[in-house]
Amino acid sequence: MNETVLGEFLLVLGAVVDLASFERALQNYPSLTSRGAWTLQRLGPGLDLVHQGEVMFSEGECGAAGLYHLAPPPGERPVSSREFQARVVDDFRRGLPPVPPSAAGRFCYVTWNLPARRIAACTDPFRTIPLYATAVPGLAACATDLRLLYAAGLAAADVDPHALYHYLNFGYVPTPFCIVKRVEKVPP
């Protein structure tokens, strides 16, 4: 039986998240505070996860954090969220792409291999659970909501002119562009 694991998360590699400051900044976004408390997990050296609701994560030098509502591909046995995430982490540890070929359903996750200094983010083919990413030298962060990057001080409200062009001409901002500079939407 497959379980549904859906919540919100911010994963930061290379910086320490101050939970009190983060929660104060979240007060500007009532829809993010009305669903319950936020929890800070130190997953490894320089690796912090702030989450709310159901988020599956592992700790250590190689691991993953993600949201899952998986569906079995036709003719195959259902895979639990735990099995799926374990396969993703194992593949990434061995240098393989972090996307199992039989992935189906709704999901997004971030996986890391700290000794190899690698991090990868992935979302389902229809991007039903959005994932945003930003990186500067020495720091990388992924979040399920753009406002989480604002609250952590990892994004500024500077409009990206390329994204604005797309929005004004086509009525939407295509992936990987994001309306905010230095932030990208993770492509499927």
Side-chain angles (χ1 to χ4, degrees), residues 2-9 43 49 51-59 63-68 70 80-86 108-110 112:
N2 186 24
E3 72 278 16
T4 299
V5 181
L6 297 175
E8 299 283 352
F9 72 85
L43 302 179
L49 173 71
H51 65 93
Q52 176 188 59
E54 295 291 322
V55 176
M56 186 175 294
F57 61 91
S58 52
E59 299 180 41
L67 307 176
Y68 307 95
L70 302 174
S80 75
S81 298
R82 291 199 188 290
E83 287 178 86
F84 182 86
Q85 184 162 297
C108 76
Y109 55 86
V110 181
W112 60 87

Side-chain angles (χ1 to χ4, degrees), residues 70-73 76 79 84 87 99-105 107:
L70 302 174
E76 294 187 26
V79 175
F84 182 86
R87 189 178 326 155
V99 184
S102 62
F107 59 87

Side-chain angles (χ1 to χ4, degrees), residues 140-157:
C142 291
T144 55
D145 191 305
L146 184 58
R147 298 171 294 179
L148 299 176
L149 293 173
Y150 287 144
L154 300 171

Side-chain angles (χ1 to χ4, degrees), residues 87-143:
R87 189 178 326 155
V88 165
V89 171
D90 188 50
D91 286 352
F92 196 62
R93 181 182 291 121
R94 293 183 297 147
L96 299 173
V99 184
S102 62
R106 299 179 65 208
F107 59 87
C108 76
Y109 55 86
V110 181
T111 186
W112 60 87
N113 182 336
L114 296 179
R117 302 183 51 82
R118 293 178 60 221
I119 186 170
C122 185
T123 186
D124 64 74
F126 294 104
R127 205 172 174 275
T128 60
I129 303 175
L131 197 56
Y132 298 88
T134 186
V136 294
L139 180 132
C142 291

Side-chain angles (χ1 to χ4, degrees), residues 157-183 185:
D158 297 331
V159 174
D160 183 327
H162 298 291
L164 183 60
Y165 168 83
H166 287 292
Y167 181 75
L168 293 175
N169 285 284
F170 306 112
Y172 75 104
V173 179
T175 301
F177 295 106
C178 180
I179 198 68
V180 177
K181 283 183 182 177
R182 294 175 292 284
V183 175
K185 293 188 276 187

